[in-house]
Amino acid sequence: MEKFTLEILCQIIGIGSASGLIYQDPSLYVIGDNSGFLYQYDLQSKELQRHPLVENPTENTPKKDKADFEAITHYQDSLYIFGSGSTQKRNKMVHLNGNTKQVIATHDLTDLYAVMQNFGGINPEDFNIEGAIFDGENYYLLNRGNGKSGKNILFTVAGKNLSNDFQILSNNYKLPKIKGVRTSFTDGVLVGDQLYFLASAEDTQSTYDDGAVLGSLIGSIDLKTMKINFTQKISDTHKFEGLTLFADTPDKIQFLLCEDNDTEVLETTIYKLRVNKKR
């Protein structure tokens, strides 16, 4: 029996460069790294709503100006959206009311990101947060090691807030290669005590400039031991950047994935991935 199956769930017109998503039946919440909006797509009615994340939001913000929202997570009635930190303009975290989708606060994470860089031994040009998870006590932030130093790091951040009262732990991972290029974290989601992650191979050594896409894999990390349980290549052609839980059964776990196509075309394909628990 196959270890996984990958199929198209739906296509959404009006969203481009999708970088993160959350499934809350019947809605998908999607962010794009070029966009100043949170998108809400109803899987039943097929209606698409846009919720502003910044002042004067646009669909395709110029690269030098964009907030680069790469990671989204939720806990109870709140949504949290993180900038990648790959430039000074990308250090924001937006906290939204999950019911109204109104912005509660926008936090400047410059100090946190600077401490994370120092703690993880990452040069500023190699810092690139692409995944975020919040479990009510800890934030788990995934640094994508697509810079020259190649540091794929899972940061665990705890404390009263992310501005000036936090503690940090870090774990560095050497991920598999695809076509000779080391994969790097692109997103993660918590299922029980397992952190499932996506990683992609892209022929570039820059957190800013895109390169040729060589494929993606899925894997999991046991948060008790901080060790990788498994990795499985799922594509030779896609750069999957968003991961959310869709369904969990004793035999299989199903995820929804989104893909960053690195263009200004406002069209996004959502994929369904089924992974066997018994490998």
Side-chain angles (χ1 to χ4, degrees):
M1 185 166 57
E2 291 184 350
K3 295 180 180 179
F4 74 94
T5 58
L6 181 68
E7 61 184 355
I8 293 175
L9 176 71
C10 64
Q11 291 183 309
I12 307 173
I13 305 300
I15 305 175
S17 297
S19 57
L21 77 169
I22 288 174
Y23 170 67
Q24 291 181 325
D25 189 25
S27 292
L28 271 178
Y29 297 98
V30 184
I31 55 172
D33 58 24
N34 286 351
S35 177
F37 293 97
L38 168 69
Y39 299 92
Q40 180 178 356
Y41 181 73
D42 191 301
L43 290 170
Q44 295 176 354
S45 69
K46 313 301 182 186
E47 293 182 354
L48 180 65
Q49 299 180 59
R50 295 168 176 82
H51 305 286
L53 297 174
V54 298
E55 291 185 7
N56 303 313
T58 59
E59 305 276 9
N60 276 312
T61 309
K63 191 166 187 172
K64 64 181 180 61
D65 299 322
K66 68 181 185 178
D68 200 31
F69 292 123
E70 289 280 5
I72 181 171
T73 186
H74 69 100
Y75 181 74
Q76 295 181 344
D77 294 331
S78 288
L79 292 166
Y80 305 91
I81 298 170
F82 289 77
S84 67
S86 56
T87 72
Q88 285 299 312
K89 293 184 178 181
R90 302 176 178 184
N91 291 343
K92 292 184 176 63
M93 186 268 276
V94 182
H95 177 194
L96 294 92
N97 182 304
N99 296 314
T100 66
K101 314 305 178 299
Q102 298 294 310
V103 174
I104 295 174
T106 299
H107 301 277
D108 184 347
L109 301 186
T110 299
D111 290 343
L112 171 66
Y113 282 177
V115 175
M116 289 169 64
Q117 290 167 28
N118 183 66
F119 195 83
I122 305 173
N123 295 325
E125 60 270 21
D126 292 336
F127 189 74
N128 189 14
I129 297 300
E130 293 256 348
I133 298 164
F134 183 47
D135 65 5
E137 294 183 1
N138 299 306
Y139 289 90
Y140 299 98
L141 302 177
L142 292 162
N143 186 75
R144 184 180 180 192
N146 61 332
K148 289 183 179 180
S149 63
K151 290 195 173 183
N152 287 293
I153 296 181
L154 170 59
F155 290 97
T156 304
V157 183
K160 293 183 179 179
N161 62 66
L162 296 181
S163 298
N164 53 29
D165 189 355
F166 50 80
Q167 301 85 43
I168 298 175
L169 296 174
S170 67
N171 289 272
N172 200 338
Y173 297 92
K174 190 174 183 179
L175 299 180
K177 292 181 178 180
I178 297 178
K179 300 175 185 175
V181 174
R182 188 77 59 191
T183 56
S184 51
F185 288 133
T186 55
D187 204 5
V189 65
L190 192 62
V191 183
D193 58 4
Q194 302 296 309
L195 190 157
Y196 286 84
F197 63 86
L198 291 174
S200 294
E202 193 172 1
D203 195 7
T204 180
Q205 289 190 326
S206 170
T207 62
Y208 187 82
D209 296 318
D210 300 316
V213 175
L214 304 176
S216 295
L217 60 79
I218 191 168
S220 77
I221 296 170
D222 187 324
L223 290 182
K224 293 180 179 179
T225 64
M226 287 298 181
K227 296 185 181 299
I228 292 178
N229 291 321
F230 82 99
T231 59
Q232 169 70 55
K233 186 174 71 172
I234 56 174
S235 174
D236 285 315
T237 57
H238 298 89
K239 184 173 72 169
F240 291 120
E241 288 209 3
L243 179 70
T244 187
L245 180 66
F246 187 61
D248 189 8
T249 66
D251 297 328
K252 294 182 179 180
I253 187 166
Q254 298 183 60
F255 300 99
L256 299 183
L257 286 65
C258 65
E259 178 184 19
D260 185 355
N261 51 25
D262 290 328
T263 73
E264 294 185 357
V265 178
L266 297 179
E267 182 175 343
T268 289
T269 302
I270 304 297
Y271 296 83
K272 182 192 291 184
L273 174 69
R274 296 183 182 91
V275 179
N276 292 341
K277 289 186 174 180
K278 296 179 181 179
R279 282 174 287 275

